[in-house]
Amino acid sequence: MTVEEIRGRLGGETDRFPVGMRVLAVDDDPTCLILLDGLLRKCQYQVTSTSQAKTALRMLRENQNRFDLVISDVHMPDMDGFKLLEHVGLEMDLPVIMLSANSDPKLVMKGITHGACDYLVKPVRIEELRNIWQHVIRRKKCEAKHESKSTTKGKNRHGNGEGEQGPSPTDNMDQNGKTNRKRKDDEEEEDGEENGSENEDTGTQKKPRVVWSIELHRKFVAAVNQLGIEKAVPKRVLDLMNVEGLTRENVASHLQKYRLYLKRISSVATQQANMVAALGGTDSSYMRSLSSLDGFGDFRTLAGQGRYPNPALSSYQTGGIFGRLNSPAGVSLHSLSSSALIQPSHAHNLSNSLNTLGKFQPVVLPEKQNTSSFQRIPTSLEFDSPGDPTIFTSVGNASLFADNRAPLGISSNSLPSASINPLILQGNLQQMQSGGVFGNQSSLKVGSLNSEPFNTGVAVQISRFSSNSLLSSEPFNHDLLPPNSMRSINSFSGPHIRNNPDDFSSMSAISSHMEDARGEIQCQTGLVGDVRNMNQAMDKRWGEHNQAYVQNPNMVFNTLNSMAPTKGVVDLLSQSVDQNNGVFRRETNTSLVSQSNSSASTLLQHSGVEKSAIDSKMRSGEDYILEQTKTQGGFVHNGYDSLDELMNSMIKRV
Amino acid sequence: MLGLGADRLRADMNRLLAFLFHQGVLDEQFLQLQQLQDESSPNFVSEVVNIYFHESEKLLRNLRGLVLEREFSDYKRMGIHLNQLIGSSSSIGAKRLTNICVAFRAASDQNNPTACLRALELLEHDYCYLKNKLHEFFQIEQQRVMAAGVRYPIQN
C-alpha cells in the first residue's frame, strides 16, 4: 500500500495530508498547552486542545473519528498520562504521543510499554512536530498490511522473538489488532529512529512477543469462560489454554485488557438495550436476527429471492456482521467504543473476500461475550466476492452496514436503527457489485459510529426506514413501506459501490442501488446533504437502469425519503424520478412523497443540482456527490474527490 | 521622523534580546515563540509569557511553602511542581530558570533540604530578573507598534 493510498484513507484534507491532520493536545500546564497549540497550528494541523484528560477522553469517545492523533502530557493532575494512553489504545485505535519535561529513560520505557508511538521531551520544537504525521501513516500502513495477512500467519507469529520485529513489524500484527495494538505500537516504536536502538539496548530483556491470534484468543476466552470471568486467574487460564510458549505474564496482561473490554461492553450494552427499547418493536426482531450470526447464508438466500420480505430481513443478524467485520480485517475487535459498537480496528482494510467472515462469527461472539450488545452491531452487507454481491438489508436497527470497505463505524448509540440503507436498496440486486460495497468486511467499525455525525445522521433516519420496502423490487409496494420502520441502510454501501466503478456499467439495478447506498452513506454524514447525494446517486442510476428497476428507484427514493426527514428530498426525488424514468409511475412518487417526512430545505436547494446530475450516467459521479456533500457542509469528508477517498476516510475515521 | 522612532525601538528590542541570549537567560526556544506570532495572533508572545508568569508565580509560592515547612518532607509534591515549572520554562525559552529548576529537582530527589532552599532562593531571584527584563521587552514592543502606526500625511 502506497503512502498515497494510505493518505487517501485518512480523514480530513486527505489530498494534502499531513496538512489538516486532526490532533488532540492534552496538557494541564496552560503555558505548554497554548504553545503546543500554536506550534501545531503552524504545522497546519487541525488542533483541539484541552487541559483535562477526562475531557479529552470524553471527546475521543464521543467521536471516534474526530482525531487522527493524540498528544498528551505525562504528568497531569486529574489522570495519569499513561492511563490516558492506555484508554486511548484500548478503545480507539489512535496513535498517541507522550510529552514530558522529564527525559528519564524509565519514563520513556513506560511510555513505550503502554503503547505510545512516540515520546517527546519538552521543550517541543516545531521540527519534531512536523514529523508526527508519520505515526498516523505508519499505523494505517500497518493496519493495511495486517489485514492482508491471514490468520495462519498470525498464528505463525505466535511466540516469535524479537528478531521478527525488525524486518517485518507488521507481520507480528495479528487479526486481533486490539490486543496486539500495543505490540504493534512497540514495533512501530522500534522502527522509529529515535527509539530503535533504545529498545534494543535497554537493559530489560525483551521477551518474545506473543501474538494474540484469533485462535489463541478463542482459546483464551474459552478458558476464561470455563473458569468464570470473576474467578479467572492467569495461571489457571494459562493451564487451561495449554499453549506452548505462552507465559503467565502474557495471559495476565491479556486478561486485564479483556476485563476492561468487558466492562466497557457491559456499560455499552445497557445503553444499547435502552436504545433498543426506545426504538420499538422492530428492534426486537432485529435483535433476534442479530443473535444468529448466520447472516451470510441468509443473505444469499435473500438476495436470490430478489426481494426481501421483512421477516427474512429480520433474520439478518448483526452478529453475522460482527463476525464479518472481524474477519477480513483481521478480527481485531478493537475495543468497542463507548457506544458499544464494535470497531474493527482494521476496518479500513476491507478485503473483498468474505471467506473468512463466517469463521469469525464464532470468534467474535465469544470474544465479546456479550451477544446482546452486538445486536446493535449493524449487520454488514456481505459480499462473497466481487462478482456476487449480496445485499443484505438489515431489518434491525442499528444494523450498520459494515462494509469492510467503509468502516463507517456504527455506533450503537447513534444508530438505534442504523439499518443498512444500501442493503435495503440493494435488496433486489443480487448482484451487488463487488462486494466491496456492502461489504461488511470487517471494516464495519461499528464502534466508532457514535462519534461520527455520520452515523448519527444515519441513526436518526434509520428509524424511519422500513427495510422491507427497499428490498422488494418487483412487487414494490410503496404502500407497504412503513416509513418509520424502515431502517436506513447505511450508506456504507455507497463507498463500496464506488470501489467498483467499472462494474457499474455492467450492473444494472445493482449499480443504481449501490449508488444509492453510497448516496445514503453520504447522507448519513450530513443529514440533508446526504440525502441529496443519495438522490443524486439514484438519479444517476436511473438513467442506466430504467427498465427493470422501475420500482427500485422508487424504493430507493422511498428509503431516501424516510431517511431524510426532509420533504425536499421527496420532491427532489420525484423530480429526478420523473426526469429519468418515464416509466416511473407517478403514483409512486406521490406515495413516496406522502411517506417522506420532513422538511428538506437543503434538498430542495439541490434539486437543481440533482437534476443536472441525473442525466449524467455514472460518472465519477462519486466525485460529484462528494463535492455536493462538501457544499452541504454536513458531510465531514469534504476533501474527497472520489468515493474511494470517501470510503477510505470513513474507514479511517472509524 | 516618527518612522525612525519605530526602527530605533526595534533596534532596542533586538539589543535587549541579544543581551539576554548572551547571558544565557533566554535561548532559541524564545525565537520559536516569536515565530508563532503573526497577523492572526499579533500578541502571541506576550500572551504566552503572561500566562507563564501567572502560573509560575503560583508554583513558586507553592514551592516556597513546601520548602519552608517546619517538617520539610513533601519532596514528591515539590517534584511535581518542579516538573511543571521545568516544562513551562523550557517551553518559552527561559534557559537559566530551567537549569535552576533542574538542579532544584535533583536536590529534591536526593531529599536534601538545604540544597532545596538554596535552589529556591536562586530560582526566585532569577525569576524576578527574567520577569523584569521581559516586561521591559514588551514595553519597547508596544511603543514600537505605536510608533510604526504613525504615518505621515499623504499629500495628493
Side-chain angles (χ1 to χ4, degrees), chain A residues 85-104:
Chain A
L85 169 61
E86 259 185 43
H87 278 297
V88 175
L90 277 174
E91 298 176 23
M92 313 115 200
D93 191 21
L94 287 178
V96 181
I97 296 180
M98 301 309 291
L99 197 57
S100 174
N102 207 332
S103 59
D104 186 4

Side-chain angles (χ1 to χ4, degrees), chain A residues 435-495:
Chain A
V437 182
F438 289 83
N440 350 14
Q441 298 202 338
S442 56
S443 67
L444 187 57
K445 274 217 195 171
V446 180
S448 57
L449 294 186
N450 233 351
S451 42
E452 294 271 38
F454 192 95
N455 298 325
T456 329
V458 177
V460 170
Q461 296 164 3
I462 292 177
S463 45
R464 311 231 195 144
F465 273 110
S466 54
S467 45
N468 302 333
S469 55
L470 285 183
L471 294 183
S472 55
S473 42
E474 295 90 58
F476 185 73
N477 190 345
H478 302 294
D479 301 332
L480 291 182
L481 288 180
N484 290 329
S485 61
M486 178 106 94
R487 303 293 174 190
S488 60
I489 298 180
N490 284 333
S491 40
F492 290 116
S493 58

Side-chain angles (χ1 to χ4, degrees), chain A residues 48-202:
Chain A
T48 309
S49 44
T50 172
S51 61
Q52 303 282 322
K54 300 214 165 84
T55 313
L57 209 52
R58 186 176 50 80
M59 282 199 278
L60 285 164
R61 283 180 178 145
E62 272 171 14
N63 185 345
Q64 298 257 337
N65 277 348
R66 195 171 152 193
F67 302 108
D68 299 315
L69 180 72
V70 179
I71 300 186
S72 164
D73 187 34
V74 164
H75 303 283
M76 289 190 287
D78 61 336
M79 186 192 295
D80 186 24
F82 294 119
K83 203 121 180 269
L84 175 66
L85 169 61
E86 259 185 43
H87 278 297
V88 175
L90 277 174
E91 298 176 23
M92 313 115 200
D93 191 21
L94 287 178
V96 181
I97 296 180
M98 301 309 291
L99 197 57
S100 174
N102 207 332
S103 59
D104 186 4
K106 289 206 264 317
L107 281 182
V108 180
M109 190 59 172
K110 196 171 174 197
I112 296 169
T113 52
H114 279 76
C117 58
D118 203 351
Y119 192 105
L120 300 178
V121 178
K122 292 183 190 175
V124 179
R125 295 193 319 273
I126 197 165
E127 296 81 27
E128 295 172 325
L129 292 179
R130 285 204 201 279
N131 283 333
I132 57 177
W133 59 267
Q134 63 176 286
H135 301 292
V136 180
I137 296 270
R138 191 183 295 131
R139 184 168 292 239
K140 296 292 169 192
K141 206 172 169 101
C142 288
E143 285 178 1
K145 256 174 123 173
H146 175 56
E147 279 190 10
S148 59
K149 299 238 188 298
S150 65
T151 345
T152 48
K153 213 165 189 188
K155 279 201 234 167
N156 289 342
R157 295 284 163 229
H158 172 81
N160 275 344
E162 288 183 34
E164 295 279 350
Q165 290 151 8
S168 53
T170 59
D171 284 352
N172 273 346
M173 287 211 285
D174 191 278
Q175 265 103 7
N176 210 345
K178 165 176 83 160
T179 45
N180 282 334
R181 204 190 62 84
K182 212 162 84 146
R183 305 230 176 248
K184 178 175 64 166
D185 287 345
D186 292 349
E187 291 168 36
E188 286 179 347
E189 192 66 297
E190 267 184 52
D191 284 343
E193 15 177 25
E194 306 103 66
N195 301 319
S197 52
E198 195 175 27
N199 288 346
E200 311 285 27
D201 298 342
T202 15

Side-chain angles (χ1 to χ4, degrees), chain A residues 433-434 497-507 511 618:
Chain A
Q433 271 186 350
S434 34
I497 299 179
R498 174 94 182 93
N499 286 336
N500 307 289
D502 9 354
D503 292 340
F504 268 90
S505 46
S506 54
M507 296 213 322
S511 45
M618 201 146 97

